[in-house]
Amino acid sequence: MTRRTDWAEYAYPDTPRGGSRAGDTGSAGTGGEMRGHVPAHDEDGGSPSSSRAEKGEPPGDPVERARAICLRLLTGTPRTRKQLADALRKREIPDDAAEEVLSRFEEVGLIDDGAFADAWVESRHHGRGLARRALARELRTKGVDSALIDEAVAQLDSEREEATARELVARRLRSTRGLDRDKRLRRLAGMLARKGYSEGMALRVVRQALEEEGEDTEFLEDDGV
């Protein structure tokens, strides 16, 4: 028996064993770029005009349809409550049916925005080198509550952020050799800025990296990026 069937039984234990289950539909995801299998690009559940038969959705009961959509989207890829709510809205699921299913899924742990945020921070910092500011911005776009975002990004302290920034600069440093000093500064500091690092940290890390290569960086004490 697959985990998807277990989910369906867990979320709705009264579903007849011989009946149609949404959890048995859809294809298994390959995961994403993170340990929690959060994908870089999220599906939205398709358009209202998509064939329900093709999507494996039962006709009729909107609660059953909502449950089928959510289970399919959650297969191998955790999502936030807002992401699922948006998908249900696009499929024209009535608000009361959507609320019933989403609340039930939260109750049994199939939706857990806190765990999603923790896994997202760990994955995106480790895999992409994103700083707390960029991670918080991404989680806000996914509808995660501000308090949960604060708890998740608190995993990263300033020392870990700076260590990651140094690694990023070290990887990129060679590709800037041959450029003049100002261009190297702008390119390296700009890379860190796009990943959410503060100006002060970016300047400090880039300055130290350039000094180790023999560049004169005294001008960085007074000039900004």
Side-chain angles (χ1 to χ4, degrees), residues 170-187:
R171 289 180 211 159
R172 189 69 64 88
L173 199 60
R174 179 176 297 180
S175 67
T176 67
R177 288 171 186 162
L179 300 176
D180 65 48
R181 184 185 60 187
D182 290 348
K183 286 184 179 178
R184 297 188 82 187
L185 167 65
R186 287 195 298 270
R187 186 163 297 183

Side-chain angles (χ1 to χ4, degrees), residues 6 12 19 37 39 45 48 53 55-56 90 122 182 196 214 222:
D6 293 340
Y12 284 85
H37 306 298
K55 296 296 185 182
K90 288 183 179 180
E122 180 63 25
D182 290 348
D222 300 318

Side-chain angles (χ1 to χ4, degrees), residues 133-148:
R133 185 166 55 186
L135 292 165
R137 183 169 58 247
E138 288 186 340
L139 288 170
R140 281 194 296 271
T141 67
K142 296 182 181 301
V144 178
D145 181 78
S146 295
L148 295 178

Side-chain angles (χ1 to χ4, degrees), residues 62-106:
V63 171
E64 288 299 307
R65 286 185 56 218
R67 181 164 63 95
I69 292 168
C70 289
L71 285 172
R72 179 173 59 80
L73 292 175
L74 285 167
T75 300
T77 54
R79 297 171 191 268
T80 66
R81 177 169 178 140
K82 181 180 184 299
Q83 287 175 306
L84 293 172
D86 289 345
L88 295 179
R89 192 173 301 111
K90 288 183 179 180
R91 289 301 186 84
E92 299 180 349
I93 300 296
D95 290 345
D96 57 345
E99 179 65 25
E100 177 181 339
V101 171
L102 294 173
S103 294
R104 176 59 175 164
F105 275 35
E106 275 190 327

